[in-house]
Amino acid sequence: IAMYWTLSQKFKKEASFAGAVIYLFAPYRFVDLYVRGSFGENVAFLFIPLILGSILKIIKGNKLFLPMLSFFIAGLILSHNVMAFLFLPILLVIGLILAKSSKINIFAAFLGGLALSLFYWLPALYDLQFVKFSQIKISEISVHLVNFSRLIIPSWGFGNLPSGENGFSPQIGIVAIALFISAIIFRLVEKKKNLIVDFSLILFLLSAFLMLGFSLSFWSLVPLTDLIQFPWRLLAVMVFASSILSAYVIGRSDQKLITATIIILAAVISTAVYTKPKAFVEREEPFYSTNEDTTTVRDEYMPIWVKEKPHGRANEKLEIVSGNARIVKQTIKAVNYKTTIESESEAEILVNAVYFPGWQVKVGNKIQEINFENTNGLITFSLPKGRHEVIIKYGKTPVHLISEIISL
């Protein structure tokens, strides 16, 4: 619906509908859904056309879409940061290319989107100094580059790499390739300027090149490319470009309805076999409520002071490590632990939670020093003799608080 709404501002209804179908029925969309299980990327695909559609509305003079553009930009950033890194520059360039008198408004709306999502991305960037992200190479780019045949020949698999036996498919899609070739032919014979189509052709061609093996030097030399992590993520850009090219090709056709029907049927039929997972796994609720897995690739967001990852879930959140003490009562919530501890001597208390800036231990009205210099980077603190009311909670650091205030 979002892509149809966007394309309908530039193309006829049948062309817009076909473009929306191409946006949905592309092989990479099913790789994301059934092979990788990337929910965040699938959500990001919603905001991309909404951003472009808002830009087109603003260019036509509808300033009501300025705040909407900011909200949609924030939505893209919050849904998937790598997709935002890929698409925000592309969408900004499209906006600046197409706009004549509203460039400043569009640029301001982009800044507004960054400000709205500041509470998310600024702390994330600031906190990188505390985690192992810079110490761990998440992916070896050369392993994820493919040869030309893998891009054009239909295939399917559920492996972790885009090559090898049962590797997942990095194919562009036969329909997208046909649309690209058709669009080039139409542009060669058409004298009229069409910036958005020309830009889409460049995006399509450049993305394909950057997924091939001989583009390795580019990935090695150009800074910040590591943030994309996997070259085949550029298939998302090709899906976006293919949708626009589809609408353009139909718009140039003499038999628009017939051409649209053929493209829609070809897109659906050619991807129908991909619309299923490898297997269905049924697990009970306790599996999900106690699962310690994360969505990281190599624990790259583990704090740098953690020398050994904790194994399994601890039986108790609070433990007496040394000293003669006992826990009288405790109330354990997600990031707020309240406890009463009676100690007949100086004692050391272990909290089975990995320390991160923001954790605070308060004994009575006094903030207690936290020690996390242990193998697992867990929170420990000392207690003097006596009965103590202890509050252990995770709160906002100054950077988190300031960024939230700005976003509000």
Side-chain angles (χ1 to χ4, degrees), residues 381-403:
F381 62 94
S382 299
L383 276 182
K385 180 181 178 180
R387 182 183 175 95
H388 305 283
E389 301 295 328
V390 182
I391 298 176
I392 307 150
K393 65 178 181 178
Y394 181 78
K396 297 179 176 68
T397 64
V399 171
H400 288 72
L401 184 60
I402 291 171
S403 60

Side-chain angles (χ1 to χ4, degrees), residues 276-291:
K276 59 182 179 180
K278 181 179 181 180
F280 290 94
V281 179
E282 293 187 11
R283 292 189 171 101
E284 299 297 327
E285 176 62 28
F287 171 83
Y288 298 100
S289 61
T290 60
N291 194 294

Side-chain angles (χ1 to χ4, degrees), residues 20 37-38 45 59 66 74 105 108 118 147-148 173 190 266-267 305 369 390 404:
S38 180
F45 272 109
I59 291 172
L66 283 170
N105 288 337
L118 192 73
N147 55 47
F148 187 67
E190 184 183 22
W305 43 83
E369 182 181 355
V390 182
E404 288 183 11

Side-chain angles (χ1 to χ4, degrees), residues 151-364:
L151 293 182
I152 62 173
I153 298 176
S155 62
W156 199 250
F158 291 90
N160 295 323
L161 296 174
S163 57
E165 187 176 354
N166 198 41
F168 76 82
S169 175
Q171 64 170 304
I172 299 169
I174 54 175
V175 176
I177 294 172
L179 290 169
F180 173 73
I181 295 172
S182 301
I184 287 181
I185 294 172
F186 279 128
R187 288 301 293 139
L188 289 174
V189 299
E190 184 183 22
K191 296 181 180 180
K192 187 178 178 182
K193 184 168 67 173
N194 198 326
L195 294 176
I196 193 169
V197 172
D198 292 341
F199 190 68
S200 297
L201 288 169
I202 293 171
L203 284 178
F204 192 100
L205 193 61
L206 184 61
S207 298
F209 166 76
L210 292 176
M211 288 188 288
L212 296 173
F214 48 75
S215 69
L216 181 59
S217 57
F218 170 86
W219 294 98
S220 302
L221 296 175
V222 178
L224 299 180
T225 52
D226 278 350
L227 294 176
I228 298 174
Q229 298 176 342
F230 311 110
W232 40 259
R233 270 205 171 113
L234 292 169
L235 285 166
V237 177
M238 301 184 81
V239 171
F240 170 74
S242 298
S243 182
I244 296 173
L245 295 179
S246 172
Y248 167 71
V249 168
I250 294 169
R252 288 285 298 163
S253 173
D254 294 330
Q255 301 293 331
K256 292 179 175 55
L257 183 59
I258 294 175
T259 305
T261 303
I262 292 172
I263 289 174
I264 291 169
L265 289 175
V268 174
I269 293 172
S270 64
T271 56
V273 69
Y274 310 140
T275 59
K276 59 182 179 180
K278 181 179 181 180
F280 290 94
V281 179
E282 293 187 11
R283 292 189 171 101
E284 299 297 327
E285 176 62 28
F287 171 83
Y288 298 100
S289 61
T290 60
N291 194 294
E292 299 291 339
D293 287 338
T294 68
T295 57
T296 57
V297 179
R298 296 182 179 177
D299 291 325
E300 60 270 21
Y301 295 117
M302 186 68 72
I304 55 178
W305 43 83
V306 176
K307 300 177 181 64
E308 183 180 326
K309 184 179 177 180
H311 300 290
R313 182 183 289 260
N315 294 325
E316 298 292 339
K317 182 60 72 175
L318 304 176
E319 297 180 21
I320 309 297
V321 176
S322 63
N324 188 5
R326 69 186 184 94
I327 299 172
V328 179
K329 62 179 180 178
Q330 59 182 346
T331 303
I332 305 297
K333 295 182 179 179
V335 290
N336 193 324
Y337 319 142
K338 295 181 180 180
T339 181
T340 302
I341 300 176
E342 288 184 351
S343 179
E344 296 182 8
S345 63
E346 185 174 337
E348 184 177 2
I349 313 300
L350 169 71
V351 183
N352 280 303
V354 174
Y355 174 76
F356 203 79
W359 278 106
Q360 184 183 87
V361 175
K362 185 177 287 188
V363 180

